[in-house]
Amino acid sequence: MNTPVPFFDGHNDFLLRLMKTPAPRDEIWMGDGGAGHLDMARMKSAGFAGGLFAIFVPPLGADKPPDFRAAMANPPYHMPSPPQMTHAEAQPDALAMAGLMHWMERAAPDDFSVCRSVAEIRAAMANNRIAGVMHMEGAEAIGPDLDALYLFHDIGLRSLGPVWSRDTIFGFGVPMSFPGTPDIGPGLTQTGKDLVRLCDRLGIMIDLSHLNEKGFDDVAAVSTAPLVATHSNVHALCNSPRNLTDRQLHMIRERDGMVGLNFATFFLNGTGTADATMWWDVLLRHLDYLIAELGEDHVGLGSDFDGCVLPDLIGDVTGVAAFFAAMQAHGYDAALIDKLAKDNWLACLERCLK
């Protein structure tokens, strides 16, 4: 493929990197240093047409994040969940990242747009601007009265995961462990169910990626919207509690939902390790399985760029083109690749957003 396939990505952690990296933000966003997985120039050259940009508040005292590659080198492993955070503790960082996303637009108005609807996403893409959709990974910044959700919605929030891999006042996340099952712990709290109902009313998509199985089922019972996991893989191929069981995949299909394939090595490798030296067949097995269980209209990409250990074959955003070439060599035709790259995500967002 000579020209890059335009794609929409279901999850990245660029905002956290932008907030935490000491280099000037202009260099990180618009520079050519090549650090991390994303910057504007590499995204545009790679065909990154749009994606969900996560607001993720790191655990308190986590100025130096854990070395996941080292921790996950020798399964079995179980990384203890960080303690809960209050909304007062979480809101400063969450607002800072939301502000940075709007700064990205102001700094490069011809190249990036904060989008609140699929119409705005399509308009940005038509004008060669990266379409950024604000997402929240772990809802700690929303207090128990839920009032802050209205503010975040007004400034662009259109997707929200009630939990990361730690508990919140809304529900219980699966731990970073292997091997394991998502059937661990209780589901949503009553406040969590209220949060889901309010997200439905506002047209904010609920992300199931980090919820445990009971929380997943609670969202399915409370929400009337499609079921979506923005960055998750197949539990039958890698039995991490972060991955989705066949039952969950079938529920997502029945609810006209979506799964974004996660590039994180420890959710791809059947051994649960962070080994990055895999071949394309590892990713393609997950992709084949998702398509078989969900149908080709309900699968896309959810890279986890700037938030994970990537396969060496991908490396950063510029490696996605090679993945599309591997799909083509595997037998996927151009129409299916277009669905997986972008069309399925846009159709899903049409069903979810108001």
Side-chain angles (χ1 to χ4, degrees):
M1 299 180 183
N2 296 322
T3 58
V5 175
F7 67 93
F8 187 97
D9 182 34
H11 187 89
N12 73 71
D13 285 293
F14 178 73
L15 295 175
L16 178 63
R17 184 175 136 235
L18 188 59
M19 183 180 73
K20 288 292 187 182
T21 305
R25 64 176 65 161
D26 287 24
E27 293 181 11
I28 300 169
W29 174 222
M30 297 177 290
D32 57 1
H37 299 152
L38 299 173
D39 56 48
M40 187 174 68
R42 282 182 291 168
M43 291 160 79
K44 299 198 80 170
S45 71
F48 188 110
L52 299 181
F53 285 70
I55 293 171
F56 167 68
V57 178
L60 293 174
D63 293 331
K64 184 178 181 181
D67 186 344
F68 289 109
R69 187 191 292 262
M72 298 176 176
N74 295 298
Y77 54 80
H78 182 88
M79 301 179 69
S81 296
Q84 282 194 26
M85 299 177 70
T86 67
H87 65 284
E89 292 168 331
Q91 278 182 1
D93 278 354
L95 289 170
M97 281 180 271
L100 284 171
M101 189 167 175
H102 283 273
W103 169 83
M104 289 161 60
E105 181 180 60
R106 301 301 191 274
D110 295 331
D111 296 293
F112 183 81
S113 293
V114 177
C115 297
R116 295 167 172 80
S117 68
V118 176
E120 291 184 4
I121 294 171
R122 293 187 187 279
M125 291 178 177
N127 287 284
N128 198 32
R129 296 194 304 269
I130 297 166
V133 178
M134 190 183 295
H135 168 74
M136 186 174 283
E137 184 177 32
E140 285 92 344
I142 310 299
D145 57 14
L146 306 184
D147 290 346
L149 188 64
Y150 294 101
L151 169 64
F152 280 102
H153 178 264
D154 283 351
I155 59 178
L157 184 70
R158 291 298 181 271
S159 176
L160 177 146
V163 301
W164 176 64
S165 292
R166 63 182 176 224
D167 301 343
T168 70
I169 62 171
F170 305 110
F172 300 86
V174 292
M176 301 289 281
S177 62
F178 186 91
T181 167
D183 185 14
I184 181 171
L188 295 181
T189 64
Q190 185 57 54
T191 306
K193 294 175 183 179
D194 292 340
L195 175 71
V196 170
R197 293 186 185 99
L198 183 54
C199 284
D200 268 17
R201 291 203 297 273
L202 293 174
I204 297 173
M205 184 174 74
I206 294 292
D207 180 18
L208 301 163
S209 293
H210 283 273
L211 278 167
N212 63 14
E213 192 165 36
K214 289 184 174 63
F216 181 107
D217 290 347
D218 284 341
V219 171
V222 171
S223 173
T224 60
L227 300 178
V228 178
T230 63
H231 58 305
S232 291
N233 293 336
V234 177
H235 191 267
L237 299 178
C238 171
N239 58 340
S240 163
R242 265 282 280 108
N243 286 339
L244 297 164
T245 66
D246 288 359
R247 184 184 74 88
Q248 291 173 312
L249 294 174
H250 297 160
M251 290 175 68
I252 290 170
R253 179 172 184 163
E254 290 167 4
R255 290 283 289 269
D256 207 11
M258 182 83 185
V259 175
L261 178 76
N262 193 328
F263 294 169
T265 54
F266 30 83
F267 304 139
L268 289 165
N269 285 317
T271 58
T273 67
D275 180 12
T277 60
M278 66 183 66
W279 297 103
W280 290 120
D281 65 300
V282 177
L283 288 93
L284 291 167
R285 277 200 298 269
H286 282 267
L287 203 52
D288 285 344
Y289 200 106
L290 290 172
I291 292 169
E293 298 299 317
L294 294 167
E296 65 180 36
D297 295 332
H298 303 283
V299 183
L301 304 181
S303 69
D304 216 349
F305 283 136
D306 280 325
C308 72
V309 178
L310 293 177
D312 290 339
L313 288 166
I314 295 179
D316 65 13
V317 66
T318 61
V320 175
F323 187 27
F324 288 136
M327 292 182 201
Q328 186 180 55
H330 189 59
Y332 292 9
D333 62 22
L336 176 55
I337 290 173
D338 284 343
K339 284 184 176 184
L340 300 173
K342 174 171 59 68
D343 296 345
N344 287 347
W345 265 122
L346 297 188
C348 179
L349 291 169
E350 287 273 20
R351 298 190 293 271
C352 293
L353 306 187
K354 297 178 183 176

